[in-house]
Amino acid sequence: MKKQVPTKAPARGAGRKKIAFGLAVVVVAVLAFCLGRGGAQTPSQLPPMPKITPPANAPAVPSDYSRRVVAHIYNSIPITREELGEYLIARYGAERVENFVNRRIIEEACRSKGITVTDAEVEAALTYDLKGLNISLADFKNKVLKAYGKTLYEWKEDVLRPKLWLAKYCRIEVKVSDEDLKIAFEGHYGEKVECRMILLPKDTAGESRHDYDIYDKVRKSDAEFDSAATKQAFAPLAAKGGLIPPIYRRYPEPSIEKEAFRLKPGELSKLLTLSDGSRVILKCVQHIPPDKTKRFEDERPKLYDEVTEAKITQMVPHLFKQMRDQAKPQIYMKRTPRPEDTEQQVRRALAPPGTMAAPNAPAPTGVVPAVGQKK
């Protein structure tokens, strides 16, 4: 399913995903959207998809689609829904067909389990999201949706409704254990260590001497660490000078947990290598004592809701992959080249043999042959 509104984090392997996850949330890993030690479900752990039976062929019913009028011109000439539909399909169909197919796949899978989403539920989800973003509906439409060329209707029907369908489907299968809740409690209220981090992505050429050079440099002075932390490649970390949410007991990356709790304020960790080859350098800021005013049993209902929602979000991409694999979509409508694509093809076609047309050079004047045709 295509992404509708950005949120999304760079993919650098499993280890880096864990780190990126830790930076994106302020609670336990099991409460995160993309990763969680306490029960992330992989495709092999998901329940089998139900067999989707296509609706039986119903007797053909005459359609009035070609007769339903959306406008008139010259007082008497009708423009029908069919004409409008063909007009829009010719211009936008290939760009939108993938999203529409994905939406129908989800809808059919949910229909097979009797799952529905009402308009009232969609409106409630929109209200909840706006509250979480602390933004008004007008600003959301004008500043967020407009920037991505989306309408509020598209957001409701192409983002919120499929999201709610998938969430309801997953909720049937989600299981939350006491262990999950205890890990969540630790993340909220247990002993923690606040650290700054420098993330060194995996070197595809093998073990990088550069990582050791950086480590040797930053351990010599606070100024060097500050400089490297604000200039590191992973932008969300660089923007905060490497500051990450506190590390807690039973953290998703055990090597990071062990090293963080060993450090004293101001100390640097050794160069830690994650399972995917990425490396991190930690600098301890402070140790945070546990909040002893909180009792597990008192917090249990809230933790249960949070862990459930996190597991649902973890499960969604795997579930949708299963749905799509079963649906085996075959999309025949191909995207029509944009004017700028066609213009660039024309430039290449008219360029003298052995040369490359400049990307922004004006197209030659005069007779222009068909795209791809040699002059």
Side-chain angles (χ1 to χ4, degrees):
M1 193 187 309
K2 289 184 180 177
K3 296 179 180 176
Q4 307 294 330
V5 170
T7 56
K8 318 185 175 56
R12 287 274 188 176
R16 185 166 180 184
K17 285 180 183 176
K18 288 181 180 179
I19 300 302
F21 153 80
L23 304 170
V25 294
V26 291
V27 292
V28 222
V30 293
L31 306 181
F33 286 142
C34 299
L35 177 72
R37 180 177 174 184
Q41 298 210 27
T42 63
S44 62
Q45 294 171 310
L46 288 171
M49 289 290 299
K51 181 69 175 176
I52 308 295
T53 305
N57 292 329
V61 177
S63 171
D64 64 349
Y65 189 61
S66 63
R67 298 192 297 275
R68 294 171 66 185
V69 177
V70 297
H72 277 98
I73 57 176
Y74 300 107
N75 295 323
S76 60
I77 300 175
I79 297 175
T80 66
R81 288 179 69 90
E82 182 179 41
E83 290 175 306
L84 175 61
E86 291 301 321
Y87 173 89
L88 295 174
I89 288 170
R91 285 157 179 77
Y92 309 111
E95 294 180 6
R96 304 298 179 89
V97 67
E98 183 83 20
N99 278 348
F100 183 62
V101 167
N102 287 340
R103 187 184 188 280
R104 285 299 307 276
I105 288 171
I106 297 168
E107 183 178 10
E108 288 300 312
C110 289
R111 182 185 61 80
S112 72
K113 284 205 168 187
I115 296 170
T116 60
V117 170
T118 66
D119 291 344
E121 288 173 314
V122 173
E123 291 296 334
L126 175 63
T127 301
Y128 180 84
D129 286 349
L130 293 177
K131 184 178 179 180
L133 293 169
N134 193 26
I135 190 172
S136 69
L137 179 60
D139 283 345
F140 183 68
K141 289 193 288 188
N142 295 328
K143 296 179 180 179
V144 179
L145 296 182
K146 191 173 181 180
Y148 290 91
K150 301 294 180 186
T151 66
L152 185 61
Y153 178 81
E154 287 175 307
W155 178 258
K156 290 178 181 179
E157 295 302 317
D158 298 341
V159 178
L160 292 182
R161 195 179 295 274
K163 181 178 110 175
L164 292 171
W165 271 329
L166 287 168
K168 284 190 174 186
Y169 197 109
C170 291
R171 193 177 294 277
I172 298 171
E173 307 296 340
V174 161
K175 301 292 187 294
V176 176
S177 68
D178 275 353
E179 181 69 7
D180 296 330
L181 298 179
K182 288 174 182 175
I183 293 173
F185 185 83
E186 285 283 351
H188 273 295
Y189 309 115
E191 178 187 10
K192 295 184 280 289
V193 183
E194 186 176 18
C195 291
R196 295 167 68 194
M197 176 188 288
I198 296 173
L199 173 64
L200 305 172
K202 179 181 178 181
D203 182 356
T204 54
E207 192 170 288
S208 173
R209 179 73 245 168
H210 181 62
D211 293 352
Y212 293 98
D213 292 340
I214 292 175
Y215 180 73
D216 188 55
K217 201 172 183 179
V218 301
R219 70 187 179 90
K220 291 179 179 177
S221 76
D222 291 340
E224 290 290 354
F225 184 93
D226 293 345
S227 176
T230 56
K231 294 176 182 176
Q232 60 184 303
F234 189 42
L237 264 178
K240 295 187 175 183
L243 187 65
I244 62 173
I247 296 164
Y248 47 87
R249 296 293 185 185
R250 297 196 280 188
Y251 197 69
E253 190 67 59
S255 62
I256 289 179
E257 175 197 338
K258 181 178 179 181
E259 187 71 2
F261 278 92
R262 185 190 65 80
L263 297 174
K264 295 177 182 178
E267 285 186 343
L268 241 62
S269 71
K270 59 187 178 184
L271 188 59
L272 299 171
T273 302
L274 305 182
S275 56
D276 74 328
S278 299
R279 295 187 177 93
V280 297
I281 304 168
L282 296 176
K283 185 173 185 178
C284 179
V285 176
Q286 62 173 328
H287 284 253
I288 302 172
D291 183 350
K292 294 185 178 179
T293 66
K294 301 295 183 181
R295 294 177 63 252
F296 176 71
E297 290 304 324
D298 295 339
E299 301 299 321
R300 188 186 186 98
K302 183 179 75 173
L303 295 174
Y304 184 90
D305 291 341
E306 290 180 349
V307 173
T308 299
E309 292 306 314
K311 286 195 169 195
I312 287 172
T313 310
Q314 291 169 216
M315 191 186 293
V316 161
H318 302 312
L319 175 66
F320 177 69
K321 183 179 184 304
Q322 278 191 350
M323 289 177 175
R324 193 172 169 92
D325 288 347
Q326 179 173 313
K328 298 182 176 65
Q330 301 175 57
I331 299 175
Y332 308 113
M333 183 177 286
K334 301 303 179 185
R335 182 178 176 276
T336 304
R338 298 170 299 176
E340 54 266 40
D341 298 334
T342 304
E343 185 180 355
Q344 184 59 28
Q345 286 180 292
V346 170
R347 290 196 192 103
R348 285 197 297 267
L350 297 183
T355 66
M356 180 72 74
N360 297 315
T365 57
V367 179
V368 178
V371 174
Q373 177 184 326
K374 297 294 182 183
K375 186 175 179 181

